Amino acid sequence: MAQERVPPGQTVTGRFPVLHHGQVPSLRLEDWRLRLYGEVEEEVELDWEQLLALPTTRVTADIHCVTGWSKLDTEWEGVSTRQLLRLVQLTPQARYVMVHAPGGWSTNLSLDDFCKENVVLARSFDGAPITREHGWPVRLVVPHLYFWKSAKWVTALEFIWKDRPGFWEEAGYHLRGDPWTEQRYRDDRNWLLGR
């Protein structure tokens, strides 16, 4: 039964591997902000206390890393992306979201993927605060896409009208990252050749 939950090319693990580019950022809760901007009528910025005041949700989901591991039945708690969208009025042009984190890290999502019911800006994993290595104080969790789309250390959500690659997408990862169709890497030869 569990095998039906594992996409092609994946192996189930009980561990939670730590993978990221560069150093873990040094963040302080008193300085942390979440900025919602771009294709919105009015920009919004939340501090940590304002984020804590928002309604929370719990999500149990399987996660799948592009490197080939899957972890089943992970538990997350935080603010749903649908709840976050209630804080801003998107313009009619908004179609995508660029998720930003310190150090120039980013990832792109369609607005449809961002708004799925089980997508959450998580503060806790398996009942405990997320560790720094896994994205403290908050990380996005997008269970239906490869886990690089679940950005760590999130500090901004930029709503955009045209899709553009984020950090790993610029390096050749797929623009969407659906694990069920193995959208691991881009296959646009002209893009890879810099044309």
Side-chain angles (χ1 to χ4, degrees):
M1 197 66 128
Q3 195 57 36
E4 295 172 2
R5 297 161 53 186
V6 181
Q10 299 291 114
T11 301
V12 174
T13 182
R15 300 179 323 112
F16 191 0
V18 175
L19 302 169
H20 56 263
H21 176 78
Q23 298 295 317
V24 173
S26 294
L27 298 171
R28 299 178 344 144
L29 288 183
E30 54 267 32
D31 299 328
W32 180 88
R33 299 291 183 272
L34 178 66
R35 181 180 174 208
L36 287 73
Y37 71 106
E39 292 293 336
V40 296
E41 296 297 336
E42 187 173 333
E43 184 176 317
V44 170
E45 187 173 274
L46 301 175
D47 63 23
W48 184 246
E49 294 302 320
Q50 291 169 316
L51 183 74
L52 290 180
L54 295 175
T56 60
T57 188
R58 287 187 181 150
V59 170
T60 300
D62 303 336
I63 57 175
H64 312 288
C65 182
V66 71
T67 62
W69 60 263
S70 291
K71 186 168 175 59
L72 305 182
D73 297 317
T74 62
E75 295 182 7
W76 307 89
E77 185 172 358
V79 179
S80 76
T81 52
R82 291 179 179 185
Q83 179 68 41
L84 289 172
L85 284 176
R86 293 182 184 150
L87 304 176
V88 291
Q89 176 66 49
L90 298 180
T91 69
Q93 291 79 25
R95 295 283 183 273
Y96 299 91
V97 183
M98 185 65 76
V99 184
H100 295 278
W105 204 91
S106 60
T107 194
N108 61 309
L109 293 164
S110 71
L111 200 52
D112 287 342
D113 283 326
F114 181 78
C115 293
K116 296 274 189 213
E117 185 175 358
N118 64 349
V119 178
V120 62
L121 189 63
R123 298 190 314 257
S124 74
F125 168 71
D126 280 351
I130 293 174
T131 64
R132 288 185 183 274
E133 292 78 15
H134 283 298
W136 181 91
V138 291
R139 78 174 296 158
L140 190 63
V141 177
V142 187
H144 65 281
L145 298 179
Y146 280 124
F147 213 49
W148 91 79
K149 293 293 187 175
S150 295
K152 300 178 183 182
W153 314 297
V154 176
T155 56
L157 302 171
E158 178 188 6
F159 298 92
I160 54 181
W161 66 274
K162 182 179 179 185
D163 199 10
R164 68 177 197 257
F167 180 88
W168 287 113
E169 296 82 14
E170 288 258 352
Y173 282 55
H174 198 278
L175 284 176
R176 181 156 187 258
D178 176 8
W180 293 97
T181 57
E182 295 194 82
Q183 292 178 333
R184 297 174 193 273
Y185 308 106
R186 293 177 69 166
D187 59 6
D188 178 348
R189 293 174 190 261
N190 288 329
W191 178 85
L192 291 172
L193 294 171
R195 296 181 189 157

